[in-house]
Amino acid sequence: MNKNKSNQFLDKKSLLAITSAVVFGMGSQVAVAQSMSDRVETLENEIETLKAEQEKSNVVGTYKGNRLGFSSADGNFGFNLNGRLLMDTAWADTDDDSRDLGQETFIRAARFAASGKLYQDWGYKLQYEFLGSGASGIRDAYLQYHGFKPGGNDFVLSIGNQFQPFGFEGLQSPKYTAMMELSGPGQVLGAGARRLGIRGDLVGDSWGWAAGVAQEVPGSAANPDDDDELDFSTKLWFDPVLEKGRLVHLGVSLRQHNASDSSDGFRLRSRPENRVDGYRPVDTGAVGDSDGFVAANLEAGFTQGPFNINAEYYWAEYEDLENAGANTGEEPSFTGATVTGIYYLTGESRPYSPKMGGVYGPVRPNNPLSMGGSGAWAISGRFSTLDLTDGGIDGGEMDVASLGLNWFPERRLRFSVNAGLVSVDGGPNDGSDPTFVQARTQLEW
């Protein structure tokens, strides 16, 4: 009897011990499982963080506008290399045989550029012309900030070497102009060379305003003992019609240029819209000192389908002349005007952007040669007039009428032929009346 009770007691104790062990073991397993789950979740989070960081640091190739580049995966950084090569051949002669201009073949431009984006809102560009040397070869070289959005409008602040906001033709890339060379008034009375300075552009839905202040042209001779010349300019433009294949553009620009204290005066002269022999039929010669000039420009552009036409009027007046002999005290003013048109025979329309004062871009052929088509074909023409005679200064008057034929087999390839008749009245080359024919092969990437 006692033995049975003892056995029963032992059985109960054993059962209790076994049960306790099982419960404790299960609890331990649950704790271990929970600990393992936490660790796995932590590791997964760390892996996702590492993957996100890796994606940010990845460099991906980009292809935009038929150009290759590189960008960070998050789009905050970008880098592009591009360039251009323009090769010309030209012939010219004077009507009165006063100068044998002849024929020349030359490289018109050979440029490389690096541009891109930093920290999403910053942009940069550095462009070098290999036909120049040292600082004189620098073209675009600036840093831009795009982060300001006053009133929901785009605002770009640019610091560096760049065109100042004045006129229309002079702000266009030579790759996309209707004719091969700048017009006479565009050369002499337009925006001029790029200058080191600061510029701000505010662009709304159908309008834009820009202002800039600049000083030295890189590579130009300057007296280190004097203050640099100072150039102020501003431009206001409207695009009341701006849609694909249709454009109405109107603009007005003002400019004030203050010469440096050591300025040796000024000289205005213009090529006859070709580059043969460095010939400049209108030329004021060296004129006495002036503290500077004020200038104004009116512009208009119109596009309807394949037809585009632009017109500009230029005016500049120099302050009182000093040390100019009989012309001392005079305030000479010079004027010019251009009308330029282009018509795409194959139906394309000239691309346009309202940014940076209004600029035209590369035409995209409807049927490029690489796709079995004939590319884009266009005829172009221009009439320009430039008057450099006033205030006792006889620089002469030049009128140029020219026509062009253009073939764009691809978006970044172009072949052009221009021919022109020039009339010269007054000045040092009165009656020389040059004629010219020139052709260009153009590649950009």
Side-chain angles (χ1 to χ4, degrees), residues 26 41 43 62 65-66 104 109 116 124 203 234 241-242 245 248-249 289 300 304 317 319 333 351 384 389 403 425-426:
M26 289 177 64
E41 183 178 356
L43 286 172
T62 60
N66 299 123
E104 295 181 14
Y124 63 90
V203 180
T234 186
V241 176
L242 178 56
V248 174
H249 169 88
D289 297 339
Q304 181 64 50
E317 181 178 85
E319 296 184 21
S333 62
S384 69
T389 297
L403 293 174
D425 183 16

Side-chain angles (χ1 to χ4, degrees), residues 121-174:
D121 291 326
W122 295 87
Y124 63 90
K125 184 175 182 181
L126 174 60
Q127 182 187 66
Y128 194 83
E129 171 60 74
F130 286 90
L131 299 185
S133 61
S136 65
I138 297 175
R139 295 298 185 260
D140 290 328
Y142 53 73
L143 179 68
Q144 293 182 329
Y145 183 69
H146 304 259
F148 299 126
K149 303 290 181 183
N153 300 305
D154 291 331
F155 180 77
V156 179
L157 182 66
S158 307
I159 302 175
N161 196 53
Q162 59 196 313
F163 285 122
Q164 292 303 298
F166 183 82
F168 196 38
E169 181 188 14
L171 301 183
Q172 308 302 314
S173 168

Side-chain angles (χ1 to χ4, degrees), residues 254-265:
L254 298 173
R255 179 183 181 189
Q256 163 118 26
H257 180 87
N258 298 331
S260 65
D261 293 338
S262 61
S263 172
D264 294 327

Side-chain angles (χ1 to χ4, degrees), residues 333-386:
S333 62
F334 307 107
T335 59
T338 66
V339 177
T340 308
I342 186 168
Y343 181 81
Y344 292 92
L345 302 171
T346 43
E348 291 80 5
S349 188
R350 194 175 189 187
Y352 168 85
S353 169
K355 296 181 179 180
M356 305 308 290
V359 292
Y360 292 109
V363 65
R364 186 190 297 272
N366 292 331
N367 297 290
L369 197 64
S370 59
M371 301 297 290
S374 60
W377 288 84
I379 55 174
S380 55
R382 177 170 64 202
F383 176 79
S384 69
T385 182
L386 173 64

Side-chain angles (χ1 to χ4, degrees), residues 285-358:
V287 179
D289 297 339
S290 174
D291 289 337
F293 64 84
V294 293
N297 176 281
L298 297 174
E299 64 190 59
F302 174 80
T303 297
Q304 181 64 50
F307 176 68
N308 168 260
I309 189 169
N310 302 278
E312 283 189 80
Y313 176 77
Y314 304 80
W315 171 84
E317 181 178 85
Y318 281 75
E319 296 184 21
D320 293 351
L321 298 182
E322 301 175 3
N323 305 316
N327 299 324
T328 297
E330 294 282 356
E331 296 182 350
S333 62
F334 307 107
T335 59
T338 66
V339 177
T340 308
I342 186 168
Y343 181 81
Y344 292 92
L345 302 171
T346 43
E348 291 80 5
S349 188
R350 194 175 189 187
Y352 168 85
S353 169
K355 296 181 179 180
M356 305 308 290

